[in-house]
Amino acid sequence: MPNIAVARLWFEGNSFSPTPTEADALRSREWVCGPEAVARYAGTGTELGGLGRFLEARPGWRATVLRCASAQPGGPLTRAAFEGWLDEVLAGLRAGAPWDGVYLSLHGACVAQDEPAADLHIIRQARGVIGATPLTASFDFHGNMAPELATLLDGASVYRTYPHLDMDATALRALALLERRMAGERLYGAIAKLPRVLHSFHMRSGAGPMAEVWAEAAALEDDAVLEAAPFGGFSWGDTPFAGPSGMAWATTAEAATRAAQAVIGAIESRLPRFAITLPGPREALATALAAPAGLVALLDPADNPLSGGVADSPGLLRALVEAAPGVPTVFAFLHDPESVAKAQAAGQGAAAGFSLGGRTTADFGQPVAVTATVERLTDGLFTNEGPMERGAPVDLGATAVLRVGDWLRIIVTSRKEAAVDPAFFALHGIDLTATRLLANKAKNHFRAAFAGRCAAIVECDCPGPAALDLAALPFRHVPAAWRG
């Protein structure tokens, strides 16, 4: 009876976010182990959902699920948060040995305080504990991948969609590679790098240059090449391994190397098509208001929580309040526990003055003062209905909807979770069919559930932790030439 160990740390670190990510951010989003982990995520579009499907098809297998944790992207994990998770997992690996195999669900762009390549550190430490035991991993497409990973692992897979709709399928591929290695088959890996840091706006899998790269990578797979896929990298992760990668796993070292280099060559040949410029918030608002009838999304990717934003920058909200377009508008959202508490104290239906945005830092702008009516209070609990992380539970903490005049609704939350699922808006009583402007701190993942609902999607560049100008950021590990 095969006996495998499973552990998970899914976190993307923005090195320039003004606040570190504490252990509470992990515990409030995903902090499970043992049978509870598989049961809680059964049937969901997540890596743990994929693990459940894999085990259901193999009733003779045993899996010990060690600590599994995730948090929304943010500032680097604190040393205590990172080492707390790692120490628990390494202790579990030691206690349960010998294992027949180990599977790690990781991100690839995890950054911790004093550890800019946290995923590499995890895998080195795990390999040191388990020795020659077969070890595979799954990664996010936005991983900043170290070539050394291909020598430490026995197989790996990466999301092949962006927005990420194949988390469960990626886990299944990584587990299938583990099964082959456990059966005695030797697999060889290779990771090729491109010394550039690219924005991911034009990296969607539905169309565009990266969709073409994915197609070329898929064409490389055959009986010898089992996995060939690109990584786009994560622009705001300050690590020596930043930037795009091509990864391959094959039955020979030569085949893996050729495939990985072919993937990175496909990215390099399309470099000019990944370039992006965006208007400021006022210009973008004018464009949005001129769009055809229907729901129009006005996105602020510079403070996108899924890029490590703080969900607190006030630039787009200020532009809306000053322009006062008067059309039905929803602003999603501000991570603002203080305003939620103030709304709760005032009570539903009461009016009060609020100072919104700019609480975490004034670096991205001063707060916006509004007088608003508390329209709705919620417990912040819902289950994802859309295609991304389908079926997974979400806890925003207590939330409030603040109404400004008769046209603007602002959602404020106690916890930071991206507003990329229809259930987020249903929780807050928002009828999107009656909404003209949906101003959202979001980027490409928003499109998974909303591209078909919007008459237009307009993006702008505001001050924020994930703003466009990489040259202005104080990188320590990424050469300036890579950021051109």
Side-chain angles (χ1 to χ4, degrees), residues 89-95 97 99 123-131 133:
V89 168
L90 295 178
L93 289 175
R94 293 187 189 97
W99 306 99
I123 292 170
R124 283 174 174 166
Q125 294 298 307
R127 178 57 79 191
V129 169
I130 66 174
T133 300

Side-chain angles (χ1 to χ4, degrees), residues 44 64 66 76 95 101 115 141 150 214-216 225 248 283 340 374 390 441 453 459 483:
T44 65
T64 298
L66 306 174
E115 191 52 73
F141 163 73
W214 259 301
E216 289 194 23
V225 179
E283 182 183 349
V340 174
V374 180
R390 178 192 66 256
K441 293 178 177 291
R453 299 169 182 250
E459 295 167 318
R483 297 173 259 146

Side-chain angles (χ1 to χ4, degrees), residues 78-452:
T78 63
R79 182 194 301 271
F82 179 63
E83 293 183 352
W85 176 88
L86 182 58
D87 289 348
E88 180 180 345
V89 168
L90 295 178
L93 289 175
R94 293 187 189 97
W99 306 99
D100 295 304
V102 176
Y103 162 59
L104 299 176
S105 169
L106 301 174
H107 187 284
C110 184
V111 174
Q113 291 175 334
D114 303 319
E115 191 52 73
D119 299 279
L120 175 60
H121 182 72
I122 290 167
I123 292 170
R124 283 174 174 166
Q125 294 298 307
R127 178 57 79 191
V129 169
I130 66 174
T133 300
L135 171 64
T136 66
S138 59
F139 295 100
D140 189 297
F141 163 73
H142 292 105
N144 289 321
M145 303 298 288
E148 184 186 345
L149 290 170
T151 68
L152 294 168
L153 294 168
D154 294 294
S157 191
V158 53
Y159 302 162
R160 299 183 181 187
T161 61
Y162 181 35
H164 305 325
L165 309 183
D166 66 332
M167 297 177 178
D168 50 347
T170 302
L172 284 167
R173 291 193 298 270
L175 287 162
L177 293 175
L178 181 64
E179 185 173 29
R180 292 180 72 145
R181 183 68 186 94
M182 287 166 55
E185 184 176 0
R186 172 73 186 276
L187 303 178
Y188 299 84
I191 294 175
K193 298 290 296 183
L194 181 64
R196 290 289 295 273
V197 176
L198 303 178
H199 286 296
S200 61
F201 288 88
H202 294 164
M203 291 188 181
R204 294 188 293 274
S205 52
M210 192 58 80
E212 297 165 11
V213 174
W214 259 301
E216 289 194 23
L220 295 170
E221 294 182 345
D222 54 23
D223 290 342
V225 179
L226 308 179
E227 172 90 14
F231 288 83
F234 181 59
S235 306
W236 300 280
D238 187 11
T239 165
F241 310 108
S245 308
M247 184 180 73
W249 290 88
T251 56
T252 68
E254 294 78 8
T257 299
R258 283 196 304 270
Q261 291 175 342
V263 173
I264 207 65
I267 297 175
E268 187 172 17
S269 69
R270 294 168 171 83
L271 277 179
R273 295 171 62 194
F274 291 108
I276 179 74
T277 59
L278 293 175
R282 288 182 174 82
E283 182 183 349
L285 175 58
T287 300
L289 291 171
L295 177 67
V296 178
L298 179 57
L299 304 185
D300 174 12
D303 198 26
N304 168 30
L306 292 174
S307 295
V310 291
D312 182 53
S313 67
L316 182 55
L317 178 62
R318 185 181 305 281
L320 285 169
V321 171
E322 290 179 351
V327 299
T329 301
V330 173
F331 186 90
F333 64 104
L334 290 168
H335 173 218
D336 190 347
E338 291 182 38
S339 290
V340 174
K342 185 171 185 177
Q344 289 176 320
Q348 193 162 305
F354 293 87
S355 181
L356 301 176
R359 290 184 180 275
T360 304
T361 176
D363 290 349
F364 308 127
Q366 297 296 319
V368 179
V370 300
T371 298
T373 300
V374 180
E375 185 171 273
R376 188 180 183 95
L377 299 169
T378 88
D379 61 6
L381 300 174
F382 68 91
T383 299
N384 283 329
E385 298 174 355
M388 187 169 167
E389 293 191 288
R390 178 192 66 256
V394 179
D395 184 356
L396 301 171
T399 75
V401 179
L402 308 178
R403 179 169 51 80
V404 178
D406 60 358
W407 64 278
L408 175 61
R409 289 173 171 82
I410 302 169
I411 300 171
V412 290
T413 70
S414 298
R415 290 177 177 161
K416 187 185 74 168
E417 289 283 343
V420 294
D421 193 276
F424 180 103
F425 298 96
L427 170 72
H428 294 104
I430 302 297
D431 180 2
L432 292 177
T433 65
T435 301
R436 172 57 173 165
L437 284 180
L438 174 54
N440 198 340
K441 293 178 177 291
K443 196 169 71 174
N444 282 332
H445 288 310
F446 171 83
R447 296 172 184 264
F450 292 97

